[in-house]
Amino acid sequence: SVCGARGWAETDAHYAKTQTTLRALWRALTSKADKDNDSKVTVEEWNAMWSDDERDRSWSRTFRDLMFLLEDSSGDEAIDVEEYTALYVALGIPREESQQAFARLSK
């Protein structure tokens, strides 16, 4: 799990917040993207969601906040290269690519 990749135990506050946020994000995404109500978001539904009305982006703020929570493992309200790299390596992205992405994002 993502929480396991960050080293958070089920008793950790970050674990609970991540789980709650992931559930909220899924509810928001399925309500916005799952046009046939089958509890699945297909590639076509995902792509259509991005081109739909720009005014309804509450789900994207939820996603942004979740990613910040996952990336800022120290909880100091800042993301450094080590935190960023550790998360994406745990998610299967090679270390060098993760570091290069951080360098581009932090310019």
Side-chain angles (χ1 to χ4, degrees):
S1 76
V2 172
C3 292
R6 297 313 274 151
W8 298 330
E10 289 185 27
T11 56
D12 192 301
H14 280 91
Y15 186 99
K17 184 171 183 173
T18 300
Q19 295 295 75
T20 299
T21 305
L22 281 170
R23 285 186 192 104
L25 181 61
W26 182 248
R27 283 191 303 274
L29 282 174
T30 55
S31 72
K32 180 80 174 152
D34 185 19
K35 298 298 184 188
D36 59 6
N37 295 313
D38 64 354
S39 297
K40 298 175 185 174
V41 177
T42 65
V43 170
E44 292 81 14
E45 290 170 326
W46 174 261
N47 289 334
M49 177 190 64
W50 283 98
S51 62
D52 284 349
D53 189 350
E54 294 284 327
R55 293 173 293 179
D56 182 20
R57 291 295 172 109
S58 61
W59 68 269
S60 64
R61 287 186 295 279
T62 301
F63 182 71
R64 176 202 61 206
D65 294 346
L66 171 65
M67 293 311 297
F68 192 86
L69 171 70
L70 294 173
E71 292 167 347
D72 180 28
S73 61
S74 68
D76 67 355
E77 301 292 319
I79 302 165
D80 63 37
V81 67
E82 291 307 316
E83 290 172 317
Y84 185 90
T85 301
L87 173 63
Y88 291 98
V89 166
L91 295 175
I93 307 296
R95 178 171 298 283
E96 185 174 316
E97 285 182 37
S98 298
Q99 290 171 333
Q100 289 171 354
F102 183 86
R104 285 191 300 271
L105 291 170
S106 62
K107 284 184 179 180

